[in-house]
Amino acid sequence: MQELTIEEKIAEIKNTDTYLDVKNAWFPPYYEKEYYFVSYSHKDYKLVYESLHRLQSGKKRLNLWYDHNLAPGRDWEIEARRYIYDFNCKGVIFFLSENAVLSRSIHKEIEFVKNSGKSYLPINLPCEKIEGHGGEYLAAAKMLELLKQQGYEIENYDEKSAVLNETFSSKITYLWFDQEIERQIEQILSLKRQPLLNIDIDQWIAVTSINDINVLEIKKEDFEYFDKKDQCKKAADYINACAFANCRYLSKVELPESITGIGEFAFHNCTSLTSITIPKSVCHIDNSIFNGCTSLESVNFGNNSELETIGERAFGDCTSLESVTIPNSVTSIGGGAFWGCVSLTSINFGNNSKLETIGEE
């Protein structure tokens, strides 16, 4: 059977009776690495699905996820939250209309988006049911106000109006449905993705946690943030306890030279990590930082390492670790640092080693 063109598919959309005819039959969502979550009212499906088709086609095809098989009610909230909070979700596209602002779900999705820190972009749909404004593009809060004036019963009107005003402002904003699709794609691609690492700058400039527990790789640039006070980029200087714990798919980590210390259990149970280089800037690695890293084969220390202490059970249960060379700068090794390293056959100390103490098991 010959593949339908975009225009033929759009013509089919316009001839359908319900959005289920389109969604469940032949219009699956894309859920791949980096996608955009789409929020819309089912009553607007003919316009929205036309736009989705165009966004998912062409040279800059976007990966989109909309409420495919998400049922209203509590299950919907759980599923929608899961897709919006996923690190691979780069942002959210809101298709705004009178139907959308009247729906119960959009306000929950707005709340999800704000709590998740995701970027979002509204695409305004032309008005259809507001008397005297047919075909116009109106701001979401303005739509709600006019609907109330025209007799629609709107539960918690003041609260919803405040949410829409705060989120989308009171202007006629952003993209219009009939703007060229290239313009829509350009604006969607400009959404800033949530950073991979959460960095606390209150005291230390420390990595506190990661936004994607399924991450495969962490690069040096992931440790950077923009300092608004000094108007420049800076990098974290410490990795907090458990920051990357249980990232079971993490296989590669690049640590920047800015890191001076690594907290306990920082890489606990990173079972796919095979090797790591500790920069010479690191002075201290805490207890159990590689505990349970069962695939870890080698740990490399930078030339002229400043490392002084290795914490207790730092390499506990690293069952694939075969040999370790301890930098001359190390003065103490905590008890059980290599406990459970069943493949370890050699620990090498330099001729100028400063090691003074090794803790007991």
Side-chain angles (χ1 to χ4, degrees):
M1 184 176 178
Q2 187 175 0
E3 175 72 16
L4 296 177
T5 66
I6 293 177
E7 299 304 329
E8 287 172 335
K9 289 179 179 179
I10 291 171
E12 283 199 1
I13 291 172
K14 292 179 178 178
N15 290 327
T16 56
D17 295 322
T18 72
Y19 83 101
L20 292 173
D21 296 336
V22 179
K23 185 175 74 169
N24 293 337
W26 51 268
F27 196 60
Y30 286 102
Y31 179 45
E32 302 174 1
K33 193 72 174 175
E34 288 200 352
Y35 63 91
Y36 301 88
F37 187 89
V38 176
S39 173
Y40 69 101
S41 167
H42 293 160
K43 293 180 179 179
D44 297 320
Y45 81 94
K46 289 190 178 183
L47 289 176
V48 172
Y49 277 59
E50 174 182 342
S51 186
L52 296 184
H53 248 310
R54 297 190 189 280
L55 291 171
Q56 289 185 159
S57 306
K59 294 180 180 179
K60 292 184 178 179
R61 190 194 80 181
L62 300 181
N63 294 328
L64 306 174
W65 184 273
Y66 39 95
D67 58 353
H68 184 72
N69 295 332
L70 301 190
R74 186 171 181 274
D75 289 343
W76 177 90
E77 292 186 38
I78 294 172
E79 289 297 295
R81 182 186 295 272
R82 178 163 70 92
Y83 289 118
I84 291 173
Y85 269 70
D86 192 307
F87 179 73
N88 288 326
C89 177
K90 188 175 179 182
V92 178
I93 306 167
F94 288 99
F95 283 92
L96 296 179
S97 71
E98 315 95 297
N99 294 318
V101 300
L102 284 172
S103 73
R104 295 178 179 178
S105 63
I106 188 172
H107 304 93
K108 293 176 182 176
E109 289 184 24
I110 292 172
E111 183 182 357
F112 292 169
V113 171
K114 286 189 173 183
N115 290 341
S116 70
K118 300 291 183 183
S119 299
Y120 59 86
L121 178 71
I123 296 179
N124 287 13
L125 297 177
C127 293
E128 294 180 350
K129 63 176 60 173
I130 298 179
E131 295 175 15
H133 295 276
E136 287 189 46
Y137 293 99
L138 300 174
K142 183 67 174 178
M143 292 179 198
L144 198 66
E145 177 187 344
L146 291 171
L147 289 167
K148 183 183 180 184
Q149 290 175 5
Q150 295 181 10
Y152 286 85
E153 292 187 12
I154 301 171
E155 186 180 355
N156 300 324
Y157 168 80
D158 290 336
E159 179 185 344
K160 290 181 178 179
S161 180
V163 167
L164 293 171
N165 253 319
E166 180 188 356
T167 308
F168 302 120
S169 81
S170 58
K171 302 175 182 177
I172 299 175
T173 56
Y174 309 107
L175 295 173
W176 299 350
F177 170 74
D178 62 0
Q179 285 183 311
E180 296 212 356
I181 203 70
E182 289 77 12
R183 167 76 171 155
Q184 293 189 22
I185 291 175
E186 178 186 335
Q187 291 298 306
I188 293 168
L189 290 174
S190 70
L191 290 174
K192 293 182 179 179
R193 182 173 177 170
Q194 185 182 23
L196 179 62
L197 305 182
N198 296 314
I199 299 176
D200 182 7
I201 59 174
D202 285 345
Q203 295 179 346
W204 295 90
I205 303 176
V207 176
T208 59
S209 58
I210 191 167
N211 285 316
D212 181 13
I213 200 168
N214 297 318
V215 67
L216 303 178
E217 179 179 359
I218 300 174
K219 298 180 180 180
K220 289 181 180 179
E221 52 264 35
D222 292 323
F223 291 83
E224 296 177 347
Y225 76 100
F226 185 77
D227 188 321
K228 294 181 180 179
K229 181 179 178 182
D230 296 334
Q231 295 294 305
C232 65
K233 273 190 175 182
K234 293 183 179 178
D237 52 29
Y238 194 80
I239 299 175
N240 274 6
C242 302
F244 308 124
N246 298 314
C247 291
R248 298 183 184 276
Y249 304 104
L250 180 63
S251 60
K252 184 177 181 181
V253 178
E254 295 177 352
L255 298 178
E257 293 290 341
S258 60
I259 299 295
T260 59
I262 304 175
E264 61 182 0
F265 293 99
F267 294 94
H268 174 65
N269 275 351
C270 291
T271 53
S272 296
L273 189 63
T274 57
S275 66
I276 190 170
T277 296
I278 307 296
K280 64 181 182 181
S281 55
V282 174
C283 300
H284 172 74
I285 57 177
D286 215 330
N287 302 340
S288 305
I289 66 165
F290 296 112
N291 186 69
C293 293
T294 53
S295 298
L296 189 65
E297 297 176 356
S298 64
V299 178
N300 308 305
F301 296 93
N303 294 331
N304 303 315
S305 174
E306 298 177 19
L307 183 66
E308 296 179 359
T309 60
I310 297 176
E312 296 178 359
R313 296 206 176 191
F315 302 94
D317 284 326
C318 291
T319 54
S320 297
L321 192 63
E322 296 180 355
S323 66
V324 176
T325 298
I326 305 297
N328 288 333
S329 55
V330 172
T331 59
S332 67
I333 299 176
F338 300 98
W339 184 89
C341 294
V342 294
S343 299
L344 187 64
T345 57
S346 65
I347 300 177
N348 306 308
F349 300 92
N351 294 329
N352 298 316
S353 176
K354 298 178 181 179
L355 185 64
E356 298 175 357
T357 60
I358 299 177
E360 295 183 2
E361 188 63 44

